[in-house]
C-alpha cells in the first residue's frame, strides 16, 4: 500500500494493526498476571498525523478495505435474513388476529384457555427476534445509536473517521459529555453500559468494546495535546488512549 500510494509505511501499518484489533475485540483477552483476574482487551486506538496532501486518507481506505468488504457481505446476508423475518412476522400477525378472536370467545367461559392461547402467541414472538446485524465499521453515529449497534455486536467493532478532528470536536460540544465518557469506556473493552433516555427507552450494552482509527492534521491536534498535558478540559485520558499515533517525516 505504501509503495502504491507513495506514503510512509507508518500510515497503512497503524491502520492494519488497529483494524485487526477491532476484529479480535473482546474475543481474546490478555492476562498480565498469573494469579490475578485482571484482563486487558487488545483493542487499539490508532491515529495518523500529517499535513494535507501526504496521502493519509487513501492509505487508510486501502488498509481497511478488508473490513469494508466484510461489512458489505454481512449487510447482504442480513438483508436476506431480515426479509425472511419480516415475512414470518406478517404471517404471525395474521395468526395473532385469529388467536385473539379465539381467545376473546374463550375469555368469558374458559379464561384459562384464553390465557394459554395468548401465552402461545407471546412465546412465538419471543422466540423469533429480529435478526442481529453484524457490523465491522461505523463512521458517523450518535452515542445512543452506537450503543444499539454494540448490543448486537458485543465483541466490538471499529469506529473509523477519515478526519478524527470532527469526532473530537463533536465530543467537546455542550451536552455531549456522555458521549466522551462512552468512548472512554469503549477503550477498556470489557465494561457494561446502561443507556436510559425518556424517548428512546432503556437499553443495556453487555460489553462496550471500541477500536478507533482516523487521521488528523498537526495544527488541529495541537490544541488537544496542550489540554491533555497541562491539565485542561481534555485531561481525561482520551488522547492518551491513542497508543498507535504516528507522525512520520515526509520529505
Amino acid at each position: 500500500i505504501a509503495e502504491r500510494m507513495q506514503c510512509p509505511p507508518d500510515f497503512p501499518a497503524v491502520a492494519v494493526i488497529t483494524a485487526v484489533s477491532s476484529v479480535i475485540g473482546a474475543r481474546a483477552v490478555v492476562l498480565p498476571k498469573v494469579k490475578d483476574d485482571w484482563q486487558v482487551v487488545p483493542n487499539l486506538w490508532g491515529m495518523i498525523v500529517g499535513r494535507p496532501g501526504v496521502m493519509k486518507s487513501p492509505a487508510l481506505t486501502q488498509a481497511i478495505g478488508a473490513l469494508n468488504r466484510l461489512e458489505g457481505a454481512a449487510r447482504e446476508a442480513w438483508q436476506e435474513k431480515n426479509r425472511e423475518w419480516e415475512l414470518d412476522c406478517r404471517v404471525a400477525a395474521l395468526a395473532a388476529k385469529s388467536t385473539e378472536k379465539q381467545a376473546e370467545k374463550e375469555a368469558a367461559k374458559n379464561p384459562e384457555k384464553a390465557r394459554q392461547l395468548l401465552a402461545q402467541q407471546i412465546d412465538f414472538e419471543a422466540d423469533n427476534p429480529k435478526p442481529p446485524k453484524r457490523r465491522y465499521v461505523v463512521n458517523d453515529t450518535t452515542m445512543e445509536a452506537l450503543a444499539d449497534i454494540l448490543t448486537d455486536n458485543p465483541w466490538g467493532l471499529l469506529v473509523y473517521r477519515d478526519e478524527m478532528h470532527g469526532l473530537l470536536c463533536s465530543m467537546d460540544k455542550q451536552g455531549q459529555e456522555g458521549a466522551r465518557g462512552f468512548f472512554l469506556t469503549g477503550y477498556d473493552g470489557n465494561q457494561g453500559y446502561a443507556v436510559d433516555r425518556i424517548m428512546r427507552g432503556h437499553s443495556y450494552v453487555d460489553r462496550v468494546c471500541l477500536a478507533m482509527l482516523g487521521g488528523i492534521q498537526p495544527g488541529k491536534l495541537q490544541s488537544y495535546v496542550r489540554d491533555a498535558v497541562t491539565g485542561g478540559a481534555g485531561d481525561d485520558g482520551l488522547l492518551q488512549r491513542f497508543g498507535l499515533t504516528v507522525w512520520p517525516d515526509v520529505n
Side-chain angles (χ1 to χ4, degrees):
I1 293 174
E3 176 66 23
R4 288 190 291 116
M5 297 296 166
Q6 289 297 290
C7 69
D10 312 55
F11 290 171
V14 165
V16 168
I17 294 173
T18 305
V20 170
S21 81
S22 74
V23 176
I24 297 173
R27 290 180 176 84
V29 297
V30 180
L31 298 173
K33 297 183 177 181
V34 176
K35 299 181 180 180
D36 199 313
D37 61 355
W38 177 28
Q39 297 181 353
V40 179
V41 177
N43 60 314
L44 301 171
W45 287 15
M47 183 163 54
I48 62 175
V49 186
R51 300 187 184 281
V54 295
M55 305 299 286
K56 297 191 301 297
S57 298
L60 291 175
T61 301
Q62 288 292 313
I64 66 170
L67 280 188
N68 289 328
R69 289 191 291 273
L70 288 173
E71 178 85 9
R75 186 183 304 111
E76 292 180 1
W78 177 83
Q79 288 174 345
E80 182 62 28
K81 291 180 180 179
N82 191 62
R83 180 177 179 276
E84 295 297 324
W85 175 79
E86 288 181 346
L87 290 174
D88 289 341
C89 287
R90 293 190 178 187
V91 173
L94 295 175
K97 292 181 179 179
S98 176
T99 300
E100 289 176 0
K101 290 180 180 179
Q102 187 176 355
E104 186 178 357
K105 294 178 181 179
E106 297 286 350
K109 58 182 180 180
N110 191 349
E112 186 60 31
K113 177 64 174 178
R115 286 173 58 87
Q116 292 177 0
L117 291 171
L118 294 176
Q120 291 175 1
Q121 183 63 32
I122 293 175
D123 292 339
F124 175 81
E125 294 174 356
D127 293 337
N128 291 274
K130 187 173 183 177
K133 191 174 185 179
R134 181 69 169 95
R135 297 295 302 273
Y136 292 89
V137 185
V138 297
N139 302 115
D140 186 9
T141 177
T142 63
M143 184 203 79
E144 292 81 6
L146 184 55
D148 290 342
I149 294 173
L150 286 171
T151 301
D152 291 335
N153 297 270
W155 300 117
L157 44 77
L158 176 68
V159 177
Y160 169 66
R161 292 294 290 267
D162 183 29
E163 289 291 341
M164 186 60 69
H165 181 255
L167 178 59
L168 295 175
C169 286
S170 67
M171 288 190 286
D172 288 338
K173 293 180 179 178
Q174 185 176 2
Q176 290 298 312
E177 296 82 4
R180 195 176 184 93
F182 184 80
F183 279 100
L184 288 169
T185 302
Y187 177 81
D188 293 335
N190 54 11
Q191 297 185 38
Y193 202 95
V195 180
D196 301 296
R197 296 290 185 272
I198 294 177
M199 298 299 295
R200 293 178 59 90
H202 312 281
S203 63
Y204 182 77
V205 184
D206 291 329
R207 187 185 299 104
V208 182
C209 182
L210 297 171
M212 290 184 64
L213 176 66
I216 196 170
Q217 298 175 18
K220 295 180 178 180
L221 180 61
Q222 183 179 5
S223 62
Y224 288 96
V225 173
R226 185 183 299 112
D227 285 344
V229 300
T230 60
D235 189 16
D236 58 359
L238 180 71
L239 187 62
Q240 287 86 341
R241 281 165 167 76
F242 286 92
L244 289 178
T245 299
V246 295
W247 185 6
D249 294 329
V250 179
N251 298 324

